[in-house]
């Protein structure tokens, strides 16, 4: 019980800190984007985004060590084994030192190709090289100096990282806005970015020493200790392949958009990505620390509690995903129109594809957390297949339909691997049971979403007359109306869903049930997922079925009364 209370306490603290900084940075991020586009230009904003995405591919050298170490830390943290924790962090420091050298070497080699990557840009190569090596230096700080923050993540203390990182980001952005507005200097803007990366590193390490005064991590001992923890390399090899799939999903899109459309379109797509990312950040801030909490929960080994938490998280995320996509679909284009201007608005087809991808990521966001909690990294074919599907579809469709085609690669590959394969794999190897009930519940969630969407479309056409394009006041008023109607539409369905969950949780032998097919029977046996129901009076017709197939229950005492 103390461990559970500690986990919940840390989860709430993470959520609170993330929400505070989310709202502090929300308006600032949109305002600063507007300032940077007006003073530095869409091409420069697109250039910096491209350089950071190129360097993102170099982070493939990290191999998944961060996640592997985080997983290995769950048990010693649960047992408060300070010696073992210090040794594991020392191993991480040793491995990250070599990763840093590899990224440095690869970064120098990649720099030789920058003139070929940007052959027809309006910028001189001096600013391109200066920005590139500044971003590279910022990335290397994470490997040589900030590796200890892995411990904060595994210990559900991300709020420490969030507080210092976001504070540094706010101050940095304000100074960059002032420099862009008054000087318009590209060099100064990039120099400020690098300077605050260095300052943040010093502050973070000082705070880690305060939180863990007993931590004695020594990089020089990492080589000897590395042999003591062979599981780190085992999981790293598996996670390295998973990292490939993740990098292709997140880093390839801007590069492919630049290849098939233009550098300016990278910026236009980036504007929508900022809006989507801010919404996802808000959602993730509510769930911050859950991943480490899941790892600790699985370490306890209570299977019933694990599955209960799994469905609590999934039901909440599917509900949130539907609500969020519903709002964004109706508000994102009016917001971009008011924020940046009509020329920055993307086509409705592109918006739909972006939102479909966003819905899939929000609703399926925590299946991977349970897989990692169980140490199920060995389906290494999955991320490679996901990356291959993404690239092939993006290239073929991008050459035909441009931006829409590139984004289709993300959607289709994520749907096939993450939304279909991963839940099946989790049930098969983690929960060790059939995944039929999972798909039944997902179809139920999607049906509820479809009914709610269709209902609101009818309401919107016939009753809502407010235009969100007039000003920010009308946009906010329209958003409030949308949110209110969505709440009214979904509330009865959520109540019914809770009633059914309560009914199924109270099933007992001897209950009379009505199935969704219209048959009456009596329960004679129960397992976690299934029941055996006896139909008729001859006691020869006994059929196993899933609990989800029961629509109504009558207790024996109810019949007696």
């Amino acid at each position: 019980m103390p461990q559970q209370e500690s986990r919940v306490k840390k989860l709430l603290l993470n959520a609170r800190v993330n929400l505070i900084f989310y709202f502090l940075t929300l308006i600032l991020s949109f305002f600063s984007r507007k300032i940077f586009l007006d003073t530095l230009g869409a091409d420069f904003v697109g250039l910096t985004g491209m350089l950071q995405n190129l360097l993102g591919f170099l982070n493939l050298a990290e191999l998944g060590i961060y996640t592997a170490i985080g997983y290995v830390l769950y048990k010693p943290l649960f047992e408060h084994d300070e010696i073992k924790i210090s040794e594991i962090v020392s191993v991480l420091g040793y491995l990250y030192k070599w990763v840093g050298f590899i990224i440095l070497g690869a970064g120098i080699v990649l720099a030789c190709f920058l003139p070929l990557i940007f052959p027809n840009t309006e910028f001189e190569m001096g600013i391109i090289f200066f920005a590139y090596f500044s971003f590279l230096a910022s990335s290397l700080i994470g490997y040589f100096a900030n590796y200890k923050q892995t411990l904060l993540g595994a210990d559900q203390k991300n709020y420490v990282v969030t507080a210092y990182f976001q504070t540094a980001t706010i101050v940095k952005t304000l100074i960059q806005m002032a420099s862009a507005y008054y000087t318009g200097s590209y060099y100064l803007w990039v120099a400020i970015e690098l300077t605050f990366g260095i300052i943040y590193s010093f502050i973070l390490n000082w705070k880690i020493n305060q939180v863990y005064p007993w931590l004695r991590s020594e990089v020089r001992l990492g080589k000897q200790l590395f042999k003591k923890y062979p599981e780190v390399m085992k999981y790293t090899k598996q996670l390295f392949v998973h990292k490939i799939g993740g990098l292709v999903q997140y880093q390839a899109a801007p590069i492919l958009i630049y290849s098939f459309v233009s550098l300016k379109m990278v910026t236009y797509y980036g504007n929508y990505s900022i809006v989507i990312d801010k919404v996802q950040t808000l959602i993730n801030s509510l769930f911050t620390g859950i991943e480490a909490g899941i790892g600790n929960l699985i370490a306890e080994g209570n299977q019933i509690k694990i599955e209960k938490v799994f469905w609590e998280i999934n039901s909440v995320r599917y509900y949130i995903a539907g609500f969020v996509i519903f709002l964004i679909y109706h508000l994102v284009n009016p917001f971009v129109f008011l924020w940046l201007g009509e020329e920055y608005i993307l086509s409705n087809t592109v918006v739909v594809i972006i939102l479909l991808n966003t819905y899939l990521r929000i609703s399926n966001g925590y299946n991977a957390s349970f897989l990692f909690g169980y140490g199920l990294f060995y389906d290494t074919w999955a991320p490679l297949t996901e990356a291959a599907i993404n690239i092939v579809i993006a290239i073929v469709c991008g050459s035909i339909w441009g931006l829409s085609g590139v984004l289709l690669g993300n959607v289709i590959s994520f749907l096939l691997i993450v939304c279909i394969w991963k839940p099946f794999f989790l049930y098969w190897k983690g929960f060790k049971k059939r995944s039929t009930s999972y798909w039944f519940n997902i179809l139920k969630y999607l049906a509820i979403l479809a009914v709610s969407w269709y209902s609101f479309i009818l309401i919107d056409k016939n009753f809502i007359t407010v235009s969100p394009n007039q000003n920010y006041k009308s946009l906010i008023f329209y958003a409030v109306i949308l949110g209110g109607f969505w709440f009214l539409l979904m509330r009865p369905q959520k109540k019914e869903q809770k009633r059914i969950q309560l009914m199924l949780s109270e099933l007992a032998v001897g209950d009379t049930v009505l199935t969704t097919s219209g048959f009456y029977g009596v329960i004679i046996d129960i397992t976690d997922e299934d029941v055996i129901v006896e139909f008729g009076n001859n006691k020869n017709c006994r059929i196993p079925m899933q609990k989800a197939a029961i629509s109504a229950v009558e207790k024996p005492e109810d019949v007696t009364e």
Side-chain angles (χ1 to χ4, degrees):
M1 182 60 73
Q3 183 69 21
Q4 175 68 17
E5 291 173 351
S6 175
R7 184 162 54 240
V8 172
K9 183 178 179 181
K10 290 177 181 177
L11 176 62
L12 293 175
L13 183 56
N14 276 313
R16 185 163 63 249
V17 172
N18 274 276
L19 282 173
I20 291 171
F21 279 98
Y22 171 81
F23 288 110
L24 286 175
T25 58
L26 179 63
I27 297 175
L28 179 63
S29 62
F30 290 121
F31 187 56
S32 63
R33 181 80 170 187
K34 175 69 173 174
I35 294 290
F36 296 152
L37 287 171
D38 290 344
T39 56
L40 302 177
D43 284 321
F44 179 75
V45 175
L47 172 68
T48 56
M50 271 289 298
L51 290 173
Q52 288 171 334
N53 276 281
L54 285 171
L55 289 170
F57 277 100
L58 295 185
N59 287 327
L60 186 62
E62 194 268 345
L63 303 173
I65 296 170
Y66 182 97
T67 308
I69 290 289
Y71 174 74
V72 174
L73 279 170
Y74 287 152
K75 189 171 182 180
L77 282 169
F78 180 72
E79 297 172 346
H80 304 290
D81 190 337
E82 296 178 359
I83 295 176
K84 198 167 186 178
I85 292 170
S86 295
E87 290 178 348
I88 294 172
V89 174
S90 298
V91 171
L92 175 63
Y94 167 74
L95 294 174
Y96 261 23
K97 181 186 74 172
W98 286 105
V99 169
F101 285 130
I102 293 171
I103 290 178
L104 176 61
I108 293 172
V109 172
L110 179 60
C112 300
F113 296 91
L114 290 179
L116 300 177
I117 298 173
F118 301 101
N120 301 313
T121 178
E122 65 181 75
F123 302 103
E124 60 182 34
M125 291 309 300
I127 182 59
I128 293 177
F129 278 109
F130 181 69
Y132 174 81
F133 281 108
S134 295
F135 294 151
L136 177 60
S138 296
S139 177
L140 291 174
I141 291 172
Y143 295 104
F144 289 115
N146 296 347
Y147 62 90
K148 294 179 186 177
Q149 74 180 39
T150 305
L151 178 57
L152 292 169
D155 199 21
Q156 286 186 277
K157 292 182 179 177
N158 286 315
Y159 55 85
V160 176
V161 178
T162 300
Y164 286 95
F165 177 74
Q166 293 291 7
T167 300
T169 300
I170 290 171
V171 177
K172 177 198 72 175
T173 304
L174 289 172
I175 295 175
Q176 284 179 318
M177 288 167 58
S179 74
Y181 184 79
Y182 288 108
T183 69
S185 170
Y186 301 140
Y187 287 95
L188 182 57
W189 188 92
V190 174
I192 294 169
E193 187 83 18
L194 174 60
T195 301
F196 272 87
I198 297 171
I199 293 173
Y200 166 69
S201 176
F202 279 108
I203 295 174
L204 177 65
N205 280 282
W206 166 77
K207 185 61 181 178
I208 290 173
N209 290 332
Q210 280 196 327
V211 176
Y212 303 105
W214 46 263
L215 184 64
R216 297 290 182 268
S217 60
E218 300 183 49
V219 175
R220 60 186 179 83
L221 298 178
K223 185 175 182 180
Q224 291 84 1
L225 293 170
F226 178 63
K227 299 176 182 178
K228 186 177 177 180
Y229 298 96
E231 64 269 30
V232 172
M233 185 51 64
K234 171 190 170 184
Y235 294 130
T236 295
K237 289 177 181 177
Q238 295 171 354
L239 285 164
F240 168 66
V241 185
H242 287 274
K243 195 175 176 82
I244 294 175
L247 275 173
V248 172
Q249 281 285 345
Y250 289 102
Q251 305 291 347
I255 297 172
L256 291 168
I257 293 169
Y258 171 59
S259 301
F260 290 108
V261 192
S262 67
L263 190 60
K264 188 167 289 187
M265 188 56 70
V266 174
T267 303
Y268 289 6
Y269 169 70
N271 295 332
Y272 280 76
S273 295
I274 286 178
V275 177
I276 301 298
D277 289 345
K278 286 300 175 185
V279 174
Q280 287 184 299
T281 300
L282 173 59
I283 295 170
N284 290 335
S285 67
L286 300 174
F287 292 88
T288 298
I290 281 185
E291 185 166 325
I294 290 170
N296 293 327
L297 177 64
I298 291 174
E300 290 180 15
N302 189 325
Q303 188 65 24
I304 295 176
K305 188 186 292 185
I306 291 169
E307 292 186 45
K308 181 175 180 291
V309 171
F310 173 78
W311 276 113
E312 286 174 350
I313 293 173
N314 269 284
S315 61
V316 170
R317 288 188 74 91
Y318 265 87
Y319 178 77
I320 291 175
F323 175 68
V324 164
I325 300 306
F326 174 79
L327 282 180
I328 295 178
Y329 176 75
H330 288 88
L331 298 174
V332 66
N333 277 345
F335 176 75
V336 172
F337 174 79
L338 295 171
W339 174 34
L340 300 173
E342 187 175 4
E343 67 273 20
Y344 288 97
I345 293 178
L346 297 176
S347 69
N348 194 59
T349 301
V350 173
V351 172
V352 169
I353 295 173
I354 292 174
L355 293 184
L356 178 58
N357 189 32
T358 304
Y359 178 80
L360 295 176
R361 291 181 186 281
I362 294 175
S363 59
N364 289 270
Y366 274 85
N367 288 340
S369 299
F370 282 86
L371 286 167
F372 288 167
Y374 278 109
L376 297 175
F377 315 126
Y378 58 84
D379 60 330
T380 50
W381 65 269
L384 295 177
T385 304
E386 181 184 5
I389 293 172
N390 186 1
I391 294 296
V392 170
I393 293 177
I395 291 175
V396 173
C397 296
S399 62
I400 301 172
W401 296 308
L403 179 57
S404 299
V406 170
L407 298 180
L408 275 176
N410 258 316
V411 174
I412 295 174
S413 60
F414 193 86
L415 176 65
L416 293 175
I417 301 302
V418 177
C419 300
I420 296 178
W421 161 250
K422 292 295 184 180
F424 173 79
F425 186 48
L426 174 62
Y427 267 77
W428 178 28
K429 296 296 185 180
F431 297 161
K432 299 187 184 304
K433 57 174 60 177
R434 292 174 298 172
S435 59
T436 314
S437 62
Y438 175 85
W439 302 116
F440 182 88
N441 283 322
I442 296 305
L443 289 175
K444 183 171 63 178
Y445 293 149
L446 293 176
I448 293 173
L449 178 65
V451 170
S452 300
W453 266 67
Y454 181 72
S455 301
F456 184 81
I457 289 172
L458 297 178
I459 294 172
D460 188 28
K461 285 183 178 180
N462 295 293
F463 298 104
I464 299 179
T465 58
V466 178
S467 172
N469 292 318
Q470 297 173 356
N471 50 51
Y472 284 110
K473 184 178 179 180
S474 65
L475 180 71
I476 294 171
F477 184 58
Y478 186 68
V480 171
I481 294 175
L482 289 179
F485 272 115
W486 182 266
F487 178 78
L488 291 174
L489 287 170
M490 291 295 291
R491 184 171 175 78
Q493 298 171 42
K494 290 292 289 181
K495 281 186 174 181
E496 177 63 13
Q497 184 180 338
K498 287 182 179 179
R499 184 195 69 80
I500 292 174
Q501 288 175 344
L502 179 62
M503 177 188 72
L504 296 180
S505 68
E506 295 177 345
L507 286 175
V509 173
D511 289 349
T512 299
V513 298
L514 172 65
T515 69
T516 53
S517 302
F519 295 102
Y520 286 94
V522 177
I523 296 177
I524 62 171
D525 196 12
I526 298 177
T527 62
D528 289 340
E529 264 189 18
D530 305 318
V531 293
I532 297 178
V533 181
E534 183 179 84
F535 296 95
N537 296 322
N538 59 8
K539 303 185 183 297
N540 290 324
C541 182
R542 297 180 175 183
I543 300 176
M545 63 175 57
Q546 291 190 334
K547 290 180 179 179
I550 296 173
S551 61
V553 177
E554 190 175 65
K555 296 289 184 181
E557 54 267 27
D558 297 335
V559 177
T560 303
E561 293 174 1

